[in-house]
Amino acid sequence: MTNTSPRLPSAAVVREVGLRDGLQSIATILPTEQKREWIAAAHAAGQREIEVGSFVPARLLPQLADTAELVAYARTFPDLFVSVLVPNLRGAENAIAAEVDLMIVPLSASHQHSLANLRKTPDEVVAEVARIRAARDAAGSKTLIEGGVGTAFGCTLQGQVEKSEVLRLMQALLDAGADRVSLADTVGYADPAMVRELFEAAMEIAGERFWCGHFHDTRGLGLANVYAALEVGVRRFDACLAGIGGCPHAPGASGNVSTEDLAYMLGSMGIATGIDIDALLALRQRVARWLAGETLHGAVWQAGLPKTFAAPAARPAIAA
Amino acid sequence: MTNTSPRLPSAAVVREVGLRDGLQSIATILPTEQKREWIAAAHAAGQREIEVGSFVPARLLPQLADTAELVAYARTFPDLFVSVLVPNLRGAENAIAAEVDLMIVPLSASHQHSLANLRKTPDEVVAEVARIRAARDAAGSKTLIEGGVGTAFGCTLQGQVEKSEVLRLMQALLDAGADRVSLADTVGYADPAMVRELFEAAMEIAGERFWCGHFHDTRGLGLANVYAALEVGVRRFDACLAGIGGCPHAPGASGNVSTEDLAYMLGSMGIATGIDIDALLALRQRVARWLAGETLHGAVWQAGLPKTFAAPAARPAIAA
């Protein structure tokens, strides 16, 4: 159908994070060659933003040890916006050297989760972002810095995470020099009402610097949460092909929102993503073979597209 | 969290249709005794509206041959609102005799689907509803008549179903004497933007006589569609425990919205359903044993409730 709702955008970006958030959460270590195939096929299917890995020590995440090589490969596609995750200044220096377009610094709004995962308080992460900003500017680099506020809707360790604390940390990231900020429902605690409330407040604070919504489908609400975020103006969403990744604490439970289902929902609503869903489903089949034995997710690959489905033609410009 | 959005209701009804829409779509024939246990446990978990079966010839749907017995049993719970599906006047006469609270007459807005499924055109179904209304009134019965407009968002046979045709048939059902009307996305073609548009128009036509939204999760959008319908004022939703039923044309694909995930989403948003989700999940375990070998769905049963989850206390009144 055509997009008749004035509240919905004409275009949105689906950022593929399967190669990072997806692969880091599963046991299979995908060979670099297959990751290159994945990047090339995702690009051919119309994806223009891909998080290709993480600059962390290989001993911590052997799945992502080839990140530098993948950045170099991804940069051979001139219209591909390449991002990586960096946990600290050292990772950021690698990202700057690799000339990625954007580096995501994760911050956990849950103090307990932050200490357990990053061994830093949230405010220590903010201080690190200030150092990263200084290093980026000193290097004359164009790499953008995204501060990603995780456990924004609660946390499996600490439970409640206050909205005011999430927003305080987001403001602190902006003040420390983050070019972009994002919100992530790391553990799948969000519902559409929470999303609407928090994202509305976040976008008031960050304006054009608000960048991305990151939702997990742990309790089946991933796409409902995306829709709620769309309604308050969010225009970019993280997703993993086949819904991989996410929640090591709930075996078998869904991980990230699946790229193909998200692209279907957006396309069905008349929101252009530039993604060819049939090509994406063909890629999903290949990735599913590579990840044989892993639990995959998603619905459209099983049910097929509706007979009535017609994707919007236009491709959104990447406003980075 | 508390419900802070002025657009969302303080209460909603989850109508269990697993015993009808769910069981009629799967191979296992559940013994009457287990169906009685299901009804009793669903009631104990706080469900107050259950579609217990369908008055169709047993040779067509042997799974539902015990509908009269189940109605009699369900009516022993004084605060349970008992419904059945009836395809025609004959079924309606049985429903009236059984003194159900409400009988649902399905109408398919897709002419092709209507002919293939019901061997009647949609307008012939409207005429049947007029006969059902006459019979109900002649009998002095209090059984309500709900006209359920299916394939409201498209159809696997015919493809496109025009919105104007859906609304015309809804108006015709009201004119023919249906006390209530509903909309169903029978094949899982709806997206939240379509839902918003069609349900908004339908509620303008039907007002207080608009009754229920029926969504399938075939392509992963079931709960996103529920949320979109909630935003335009829909207050009652069909659901099947464990997401059974739905789409025989897409093996393995999800069926109806799952009761437990829907109850979780509503409860998380501060919308009272009266449902005790832990009790519902315990019932799901029993039903899963009874239906061993069938493909079940849903997310919350795997992931568990969030540490932060607190269901609203109040139970909605049943405004029938």
Side-chain angles (χ1 to χ4, degrees):
Chain A
M1 73 183 284
T2 51
N3 177 2
T4 53
S5 169
R7 303 159 307 109
L8 296 179
S10 57
V13 176
V14 177
R15 178 165 71 178
E16 180 62 50
V17 300
L19 289 139
R20 199 278 305 166
D21 198 0
L23 293 181
Q24 82 168 48
S25 311
I26 61 182
T28 306
I29 298 186
L30 213 57
T32 306
E33 186 48 37
Q34 291 178 343
K35 293 186 185 178
R36 290 161 61 112
E37 279 185 51
W38 184 342
I39 291 167
H43 180 269
Q47 292 196 267
R48 290 294 177 270
E49 301 199 13
I50 304 180
E51 187 186 33
V52 299
S54 179
F55 281 115
V56 286
R59 68 184 158 75
L60 293 180
L61 283 177
Q63 299 98 318
L64 308 183
D66 53 4
T67 294
E69 204 178 332
L70 291 173
V71 169
Y73 176 69
R75 290 189 61 239
T76 64
F77 298 85
D79 57 354
L80 186 60
F81 194 78
V82 183
S83 57
V84 296
L85 188 136
V86 301
N88 50 32
L89 177 60
R90 175 156 200 153
E93 287 165 346
N94 289 331
I96 291 165
E99 297 182 50
V100 299
D101 294 302
L102 179 144
M103 52 187 164
I104 300 150
V105 188
L107 175 152
S108 189
S110 155
H111 286 236
Q112 283 189 33
H113 186 268
S114 186
L115 290 171
N117 249 38
L118 304 162
R119 283 186 242 175
K120 286 178 194 154
T121 66
D123 288 289
E124 284 167 352
V125 174
V126 170
E128 191 79 353
V129 165
R131 286 187 284 273
I132 289 171
R133 172 63 187 253
R136 192 275 308 266
D137 291 350
S141 156
K142 287 178 185 162
T143 298
L144 291 172
I145 302 163
E146 172 180 335
V149 182
T151 61
F153 297 92
C155 156
T156 47
L157 301 172
Q158 171 177 318
Q160 207 75 45
V161 172
E162 292 304 322
K163 181 185 156 191
S164 56
E165 176 68 353
V166 173
L167 297 175
R168 179 187 75 78
L169 289 164
M170 171 170 281
Q171 183 65 64
L173 284 168
L174 291 165
D175 295 343
D179 304 293
R180 306 280 183 263
V181 285
S182 295
L183 288 173
D185 177 24
T186 311
V187 296
Y189 274 20
D191 66 50
M194 292 183 202
V195 167
R196 190 180 173 95
E197 192 186 335
L198 185 61
F199 276 73
E200 211 160 32
M203 293 183 73
E204 265 173 41
I205 288 174
E208 290 297 307
R209 293 161 80 187
F210 190 88
W211 197 236
C212 193
H214 179 106
F215 296 107
H216 285 222
D217 198 36
T218 321
R219 290 169 183 82
L221 306 192
L223 291 178
N225 290 337
V226 166
Y227 178 66
L230 275 169
E231 287 196 313
V232 295
V234 180
R235 300 291 172 256
R236 180 178 276 97
F237 299 94
D238 285 344
C240 286
L241 196 67
I244 57 173
C247 200
H249 305 296
S254 294
N256 286 271
V257 162
S258 93
T259 307
E260 59 276 23
D261 290 2
L262 173 57
Y264 159 64
M265 182 174 84
L266 294 170
S268 181
M269 294 197 291
I271 299 172
T273 63
I275 293 174
D276 174 340
I277 297 180
D278 289 324
L280 199 65
L281 291 173
L283 171 59
R284 186 196 193 281
Q285 280 197 319
R286 288 161 71 187
V287 171
R289 277 198 303 275
W290 299 338
L291 299 180
E294 300 289 352
T295 304
L296 307 182
H297 302 282
V300 168
W301 75 274
Q302 281 194 84
L305 291 171
K307 219 169 173 171
T308 49
F309 182 81
R315 164 170 296 163
I318 297 171
Chain B
M1 70 182 287
T2 51
N3 177 3
T4 53
S5 168
R7 303 160 307 111
L8 295 179
S10 58
V13 176
V14 176
R15 178 164 71 177
E16 180 63 49
V17 300
L19 288 139
R20 199 278 304 166
D21 198 0
L23 292 181
Q24 80 169 47
S25 312
I26 61 182
T28 307
I29 297 185
L30 213 57
T32 305
E33 186 46 39
Q34 291 178 343
K35 293 186 187 178
R36 291 161 60 111
E37 281 186 49
W38 184 342
I39 291 167
H43 180 269
Q47 293 196 267
R48 290 294 177 269
E49 300 198 13
I50 304 181
E51 187 186 33
V52 300
S54 179
F55 281 116
V56 286
R59 67 182 158 77
L60 293 180
L61 283 177
Q63 299 98 317
L64 308 183
D66 53 3
T67 295
E69 203 178 333
L70 291 173
V71 170
Y73 176 69
R75 290 189 61 240
T76 64
F77 298 85
D79 57 355
L80 186 60
F81 194 78
V82 183
S83 57
V84 296
L85 189 135
V86 301
N88 50 33
L89 178 60
R90 175 155 199 155
E93 287 166 347
N94 290 331
I96 291 164
E99 296 182 52
V100 299
D101 296 301
L102 179 144
M103 53 187 162
I104 300 149
V105 187
L107 175 152
S108 187
S110 155
H111 287 236
Q112 283 189 33
H113 186 266
S114 186
L115 290 171
N117 249 38
L118 304 163
R119 284 187 241 172
K120 286 178 195 154
T121 66
D123 288 288
E124 285 168 352
V125 175
V126 170
E128 191 80 354
V129 166
R131 286 187 284 274
I132 290 170
R133 173 63 187 254
R136 193 274 308 267
D137 291 350
S141 157
K142 287 180 188 161
T143 298
L144 292 172
I145 302 163
E146 172 180 335
V149 182
T151 61
F153 296 92
C155 155
T156 47
L157 301 172
Q158 171 177 317
Q160 208 75 45
V161 172
E162 291 304 322
K163 180 184 158 192
S164 56
E165 177 67 354
V166 173
L167 297 175
R168 179 187 74 79
L169 289 164
M170 170 169 282
Q171 183 64 64
L173 284 168
L174 291 166
D175 294 343
D179 304 292
R180 304 282 182 263
V181 284
S182 295
L183 289 174
D185 177 24
T186 311
V187 296
Y189 274 19
D191 66 50
M194 291 184 204
V195 167
R196 188 177 176 99
E197 192 186 336
L198 186 62
F199 276 73
E200 210 159 33
M203 294 183 71
E204 265 172 41
I205 288 173
E208 291 297 307
R209 293 160 82 189
F210 190 88
W211 198 237
C212 193
H214 179 106
F215 296 107
H216 284 224
D217 198 35
T218 321
R219 291 168 182 83
L221 307 192
L223 291 178
N225 290 337
V226 166
Y227 178 66
L230 276 169
E231 286 197 313
V232 295
V234 180
R235 300 291 172 257
R236 179 178 277 96
F237 299 94
D238 284 345
C240 285
L241 195 67
I244 56 173
C247 199
H249 305 296
S254 295
N256 286 270
V257 162
S258 93
T259 306
E260 60 275 23
D261 290 1
L262 174 57
Y264 159 64
M265 182 174 84
L266 295 170
S268 181
M269 295 197 292
I271 299 172
T273 63
I275 293 175
D276 174 340
I277 297 181
D278 289 324
L280 199 64
L281 290 174
L283 171 59
R284 187 196 192 279
Q285 279 197 319
R286 289 160 71 187
V287 171
R289 277 197 302 275
W290 299 338
L291 299 180
E294 301 289 352
T295 304
L296 307 182
H297 301 282
V300 168
W301 74 274
Q302 281 194 83
L305 290 172
K307 217 169 174 172
T308 49
F309 182 81
R315 164 171 296 162
I318 296 171

